[in-house]
Amino acid sequence: MRLKRSEIGMMAFGGVMFMTSFYLFMFDTDRVFRWIGLDRYEKRPKIAEVEVIRNMVRRKEFEMPEFRNVQIRQDVRVKDSVMTGSDSVAVLHFIDGSVVELVPDSLVQLDTSGSPDSLGNFQLLMDVKKGEVRSAGALKNLKVTRDKKPVEVKLAPNNSEGAKIAAAIAENKPIERSVDCEPPAIDRKGNEMDIRMVCPGVIAERNVRILDSTGALVATKTVAIAPNLPGKVAWVPVKPGVYTFEIDQAKSVKTAITVPERTRRLNWDPQPLRCGKTLVYVPSGRASSVAVESEDGKVLSSGVGFKGVIEAGESITAPVKIKVVESFDDGFKWETGLLDVPKWRQCPILTFPSDGSSERVHSVLGSMFTWTSLGVQDHFVFELAEDALFTKIVFSQETRMNLIRIKPPLRGQAYWRVKDVKTGEFSNVSKVVLR
């Protein structure tokens, strides 16, 4: 059976209405009750009002399953519970004029008891389930208990939020409600930053001032903030450094962040063009990927887990000027300087003894040294020296083979190398301890 367009439209409309009703019932039941004329607040009269919120404060309505965020000037009714977090404060202004401040990590439940007096006033009750409350003056008709037993309530300091509210009420002055926004969070991708922050209980705009390490203002941004929702602006620093973000609010909040260098010079090996047609640089060890680029930025080769050795191949042919570019997960890149490679070196590669090894000299046969052959007409010069710069050569001999056996004229630390007579190229220098 095929449905008509009108029937499909009615079904879609019904689905939207159902989802909207379900959302309102689950997350905004107060509004639903008022719409249908069953305002449940008539049965639970107002007992206090939230005057100040610092950071996240939550309220649990009677017979509701969960705590929800509280807004400034929101009513708190009979049998409601109010809870502060580890870094939050709330000030409650009761209908009898009492002002109470909830310190961090506190939980209270509000109620009334008995019959109203001749003026229609009820006995107001606050039962402290957790934490501590402080009064900002006389409690008047408010009775504070802990586990239903009366407790002594300490007086809030003169400079506290509760004291300021009580003073304003007593002098019939407008109440200054200061709201501490949460410290800004910085989401960085490379040198692009998203600056996010939340200001509980307010609809406001906050100015973000960005200062460099000298304190000079480099940028100003405006964050639009809805109650308990993050506001966000984007910013891109011009150059590396340490930046500070100042946010307009009751108390100054500064967050410093270091922008790493987009380009940091990586080091080429002291002998960058090694034998065996390889280039060697010193990697950072932290890169997520590495690319070899030409002078004009063309990628010649790339890969993951690069060990710092670049081999000649079809994509990298000399003569060429190349650089190594390391990329990191945060979007930044480091690179070497340009290296001019006029040709890939064709030179002997030393094989035995290995670099840095210790070799016992045979009393009759002496010691063996070997290297790779370059062709059928090999012609080499073997050199042994006391120093790595070969200013003190103690032994030198030509050979038509890619090996030599000698009785070294010294003991202890020595250095050796081989020169290809045809090309004039020297091998790398190898160190050995002769004993």
Side-chain angles (χ1 to χ4, degrees):
M1 179 178 178
R2 191 167 183 176
L3 297 175
K4 298 179 181 179
R5 286 187 178 182
S6 59
E7 293 174 328
I8 295 175
M10 289 296 293
M11 292 176 64
F13 177 76
V16 172
M17 291 297 294
F18 172 78
M19 294 301 295
T20 302
S21 302
F22 179 77
Y23 174 84
L24 290 172
F25 179 77
M26 291 297 296
F27 301 104
D28 204 350
T29 53
D30 298 342
R31 186 176 300 175
V32 174
F33 273 84
R34 286 194 288 272
W35 281 354
I36 63 179
L38 297 176
D39 192 344
R40 55 193 173 137
Y41 285 163
E42 293 299 325
K43 298 180 181 179
R44 294 193 305 111
K46 171 181 175 180
I47 191 172
E49 184 176 276
V50 179
E51 291 289 0
V52 171
I53 298 172
R54 180 166 303 203
N55 293 332
M56 194 67 71
V57 177
R58 297 177 180 272
R59 174 182 67 127
K60 180 181 177 298
E61 298 178 58
F62 180 60
E63 294 184 341
M64 293 299 289
E66 61 184 7
F67 282 85
R68 297 180 181 176
N69 295 343
V70 180
Q71 311 298 328
I72 292 178
R73 301 301 301 273
Q74 188 168 353
D75 292 346
V76 183
R77 298 182 177 271
V78 171
K79 296 189 181 299
D80 282 354
S81 298
V82 179
M83 178 173 63
T84 57
S86 60
D87 59 350
S88 57
V89 173
V91 175
L92 302 181
H93 178 201
F94 286 82
I95 57 175
D96 69 339
S98 301
V99 177
V100 174
E101 183 176 288
L102 277 65
V103 303
D105 276 328
S106 295
L107 172 64
V108 299
Q109 185 179 36
L110 309 186
D111 206 346
T112 59
S113 67
S115 302
D117 58 19
S118 58
L119 298 178
N121 297 320
F122 286 88
Q123 171 69 66
L124 306 180
L125 300 177
M126 171 186 281
D127 192 47
V128 181
K129 304 294 185 180
K130 183 179 72 168
E132 181 184 353
V133 299
R134 302 184 298 192
S135 68
L139 292 182
K140 300 183 181 179
N141 199 36
L142 175 64
K143 181 180 180 181
V144 180
T145 62
R146 185 184 295 274
D147 298 329
K148 306 301 181 180
K149 298 178 181 179
V151 294
E152 180 183 357
V153 180
K154 297 180 180 179
L155 196 64
N158 292 332
N159 61 348
S160 70
E161 299 289 355
K164 295 176 184 177
I165 294 294
I169 293 173
E171 298 177 18
N172 197 25
K173 291 183 177 180
I175 296 173
E176 295 182 4
R177 297 178 175 84
S178 60
V179 179
D180 273 354
C181 301
E182 296 178 359
I186 310 298
D187 294 334
R188 190 178 78 240
K189 297 180 179 179
N191 67 334
E192 298 179 3
M193 300 184 189
D194 285 339
I195 307 166
R196 297 183 298 106
M197 64 181 302
V198 176
C199 294
V202 298
I203 300 176
E205 290 186 345
R206 290 287 187 265
N207 290 322
V208 182
R209 291 177 296 278
I210 305 170
L211 297 81
D212 63 17
S213 57
T214 67
L217 182 67
V218 297
T220 300
K221 298 287 184 176
T222 301
V223 184
I225 302 170
N228 300 303
L229 295 175
K232 183 174 75 171
V233 294
W235 178 66
V236 179
V238 177
K239 59 183 180 180
V242 179
Y243 294 89
T244 300
F245 302 88
E246 292 184 343
I247 312 295
D248 281 335
Q249 56 184 45
K251 290 186 177 180
S252 178
V253 173
K254 294 184 179 182
T255 301
I257 183 168
T258 301
V259 181
E261 296 180 13
R262 174 167 289 277
T263 301
R264 177 177 295 178
R265 295 295 182 186
L266 300 170
N267 296 321
W268 288 103
D269 186 272
Q271 294 178 309
L273 189 54
R274 289 187 175 181
C275 297
K277 300 182 180 181
T278 60
L279 286 169
V280 179
Y281 82 101
V282 182
S284 68
R286 296 188 292 159
S288 56
S289 63
V290 178
V292 180
E293 298 183 3
S294 60
E295 186 177 13
D296 58 1
K298 179 182 178 181
V299 177
L300 303 178
S301 67
S302 61
V304 179
F306 211 56
K307 301 301 182 182
V309 177
I310 306 165
E311 297 183 356
E314 293 181 359
S315 60
I316 306 177
T317 57
V320 66
K321 292 182 179 180
I322 63 174
K323 61 183 177 180
V324 179
V325 180
E326 294 191 350
S327 298
F328 300 89
D329 291 333
D330 60 7
F332 286 89
K333 296 180 179 180
W334 292 354
E335 64 183 43
T336 64
L338 281 173
L339 182 68
D340 189 359
V341 184
K343 63 179 181 178
W344 292 97
R345 292 179 64 194
Q346 300 286 335
C347 48
I349 299 174
L350 308 183
T351 56
F352 181 84
S354 60
D355 188 25
S357 65
S358 177
E359 179 72 10
R360 181 181 295 276
V361 179
H362 195 276
S363 58
V364 177
L365 300 177
S367 297
M368 176 76 77
F369 297 84
T370 66
W371 53 92
T372 58
S373 172
L374 297 180
V376 294
Q377 296 181 346
D378 287 340
H379 187 185
F380 304 104
V381 176
F382 172 86
E383 293 181 342
L384 186 71
E386 294 182 0
D387 63 306
L389 298 178
F390 283 75
T391 60
K392 297 180 180 180
I393 298 176
V394 297
F395 183 87
S396 178
Q397 181 175 315
E398 292 189 20
T399 176
R400 292 284 180 172
M401 303 178 66
N402 63 321
L403 60 87
I404 192 171
R405 183 182 291 278
I406 65 170
K407 290 185 177 181
L410 80 165
R411 294 292 185 273
Q413 186 168 283
Y415 298 86
W416 66 288
R417 68 183 180 183
V418 175
K419 177 184 178 181
D420 179 69
V421 175
K422 182 179 180 179
T423 64
E425 294 280 5
F426 279 98
S427 70
N428 296 322
V429 177
S430 185
K431 181 175 67 175
V432 64
V433 177
L434 302 171
R435 52 190 176 83

